[in-house]
Amino acid sequence: METENIFSGLKVVDLASFIAGPGAATVLSDFGAEVIKVEPPGTGDPWRNVYKIPPQPSSKDNYPWHLDNRNKRGMAVDLKSPRSREILERLIKWADVLVVNFPPAVRKRLKLTYEDVVSWNSRLIYADISGYGDEGPEAELPGFDITAYWARSGLLALTRDAGAPPTLPPTGSGDHATAIGLYAAIVTALYRRERTGKGSHVTTSLLAEGVWSGSLYVQAALCGAKFFPQHDRKNPPNATLNVYQAADDHWFLIVVLPKDWPAFAKAIGHPELLIDARFADAAVQGANSAQLTAILDDVFRSQPLAHWREALDRVHITYGVVHSPSENVNDQQLLANEIVVPLEGAGEGLKFTVSSPLKVHGVAKVPARRAPELGEHNEEVLKQLGFSDDEIDGLRASGAIPHAWHLEARPAGEGR
């Protein structure tokens, strides 16, 4: 195992809020990058407080904050203060990567566009994330993953059964997917810099990432393909690509390819289906999917999941058991593949976290450690950037940074 991480020495300034931008910086930190998280004084990044708002799972521990901001050092800087410009200039001269997600108008007002800061550092990778893209009539709209990634992209229309209204997707699911897209853009720009010595302005949006996730269907629409009606579990286009319930109430999804139909029918104990004219091949099965679904419903409800696991595994039929997040807590598959890893220093209730989904064999990730308190590392970072004690006092007096950070002043559950 290599002792040096891939991004050891890479310096990142994270000015973004919520999930997608900070998530991309977290992935870089997992591989050794040094990340400084900059937040506004007072409440900080709004993501610090979302865990208190329904329908997020209730906990005394700020689990989302540690998930998306682990491994970072934290600063609190008022970007509206004129003297914050001194801090920003030194941070950007120090950095290899700057992550932002301010709307275009706010970026212009704060003088934080790529054109505003590139003169400070021509090798900078400026990575911005938006809801709907930087151009067009919706560029200034605020975007969350549930609105831009899910609803606006068309994904939310696809993830429901016939007759059911759209529903809320899991919080952050689109944001975390988008974080990987932004990470990929940053790494692509870093590769370009290695070849040319030049920095880059890279970007993606929740809308672009959502459309990419649903691109099979968008591409179908682009060529005028004929769509099936919304999925109806009891009358699907394909009864052997459907969700069924076992006798012990576990749901599971089967994926039976046409070549595997004979083995499947025998494995579930109903070889007579093979001589039933209604189900002889994929074409006639489609025309009779409701009847086949009703038969399979009765079959699968007759035995517990363990029985069906053994039967389907024996003939190598693909299926997926529908797990709840709680069932993933002690999932040996997740632990064995370091999908869930230990988290250092976050307190008794937060001993593990979800790692980023990328793995480079032979290279260790940085051990995950707790996210920073608001402004925790202000003085440390400012001194690293070359500010004297007198200059730091002046920045405090001007309001550019808050007064000294004290751990005991933080409300319970806000960080540790």
Side-chain angles (χ1 to χ4, degrees):
M1 186 73 70
E2 292 183 14
T3 56
E4 185 173 351
N5 300 104
I6 291 173
F7 292 129
S8 292
L10 188 75
K11 293 169 283 191
V12 181
V13 175
D14 174 10
L15 293 183
S17 58
F18 286 100
I19 308 176
T26 296
V27 181
L28 291 167
S29 80
D30 283 343
F31 288 100
E34 181 181 353
V35 181
I36 295 174
K37 169 79 176 179
V38 180
E39 306 171 69
T43 59
D45 183 339
W47 191 234
R48 283 184 177 273
N49 297 304
V50 170
Y51 78 109
K52 302 174 182 176
I53 303 171
Q56 314 320 323
S58 177
S59 173
K60 65 180 179 63
D61 296 301
N62 197 343
Y63 56 91
W65 180 248
H66 290 287
L67 172 65
D68 292 304
N69 291 284
R70 62 173 176 263
N71 304 336
K72 302 176 184 178
R73 289 190 292 167
M75 296 187 71
V77 179
D78 184 358
L79 299 181
K80 297 177 183 177
S81 168
R83 289 208 61 187
S84 70
R85 203 78 184 157
E86 301 170 39
I87 302 171
L88 279 173
E89 181 175 354
R90 294 201 199 184
L91 279 171
I92 289 170
K93 286 179 175 178
W94 169 85
D96 295 291
V97 179
L98 175 68
V99 181
V100 299
N101 69 344
F102 301 112
V106 175
R107 259 180 269 166
K108 290 175 184 175
R109 189 161 61 247
L110 294 174
K111 296 183 179 179
L112 270 173
T113 67
Y114 177 68
E115 291 73 22
D116 289 323
V117 302
V118 69
S119 62
W120 290 339
N121 183 352
S122 63
R123 287 173 52 82
L124 182 72
I125 309 303
Y126 180 101
D128 82 67
I129 183 87
S130 64
Y132 301 93
D134 290 340
E135 306 295 335
E138 297 170 63
E140 294 289 345
L141 291 179
F144 294 95
D145 79 335
I146 55 175
T147 56
Y149 181 97
W150 281 101
R152 180 67 172 78
S153 72
L155 283 175
L156 205 59
L158 297 169
T159 52
R160 54 174 168 161
D161 268 7
T167 189
L168 289 177
T171 301
S173 51
D175 276 315
H176 285 118
T178 300
I180 298 301
L182 186 62
Y183 167 82
I186 292 168
V187 172
T188 301
L190 287 170
Y191 178 73
R192 175 179 181 261
R193 192 177 75 173
E194 285 297 305
R195 301 182 68 185
T196 67
K198 298 177 181 178
S200 299
H201 178 186
V202 300
T203 185
T204 190
S205 68
L206 293 166
L207 176 60
E209 298 287 344
V211 170
W212 176 248
S213 294
S215 57
L216 179 70
Y217 289 88
V218 176
Q219 184 67 60
L222 288 170
C223 71
K226 181 181 178 181
F227 281 71
F228 285 96
Q230 285 179 324
H231 182 74
D232 180 345
R233 200 200 70 79
K234 292 188 175 181
N235 187 19
N238 183 351
T240 58
L241 177 61
N242 204 8
V243 181
Y244 294 94
Q245 191 174 29
D248 52 2
D249 296 330
H250 287 288
W251 288 91
F252 59 102
L253 173 77
I254 60 169
V255 183
V256 182
L257 301 177
K259 69 180 180 62
D260 296 325
W261 168 243
F264 170 77
K266 293 172 184 175
I268 64 173
H270 288 270
E272 73 278 3
L273 293 175
L274 299 175
I275 58 173
D276 190 321
R278 296 173 298 170
F279 315 128
D281 57 41
V284 294
Q285 280 183 23
N288 298 288
S289 64
Q291 294 96 311
L292 182 54
T293 298
I295 292 170
L296 295 178
D297 269 339
D298 289 340
V299 170
F300 287 128
R301 285 181 186 140
S302 69
Q303 297 287 347
L305 177 62
H307 173 89
W308 298 120
R309 278 185 180 275
E310 192 279 330
L312 298 175
D313 285 343
R314 189 171 60 248
V315 293
H316 308 294
I317 298 296
T318 300
Y319 64 92
V321 178
V322 179
H323 277 205
S324 70
S326 297
E327 289 174 297
N328 287 331
V329 170
N330 297 308
D331 191 315
Q332 293 304 305
Q333 190 68 19
L334 272 60
L335 294 169
N337 288 281
E338 298 180 324
I339 297 168
V340 169
V341 296
L343 177 65
E344 299 175 0
E348 284 300 310
L350 270 172
K351 293 184 177 180
F352 290 88
T353 190
V354 180
S355 186
S356 50
L358 309 172
K359 187 172 185 177
V360 180
H361 287 278
V363 176
K365 288 182 179 177
V366 170
R369 63 183 185 277
R370 69 171 179 89
E373 301 287 352
L374 180 59
E376 178 176 353
H377 301 99
N378 265 16
E379 189 158 333
E380 175 186 312
V381 173
L382 290 170
K383 287 183 176 179
Q384 181 183 343
L385 295 173
F387 286 94
S388 68
D389 288 340
D390 287 344
E391 287 174 317
I392 293 171
D393 288 340
L395 290 170
R396 287 197 184 101
S398 74
I401 60 172
H403 289 283
W405 170 86
H406 295 290
L407 177 62
E408 62 271 20
R410 299 294 300 154
E414 282 295 293
R416 284 195 190 275

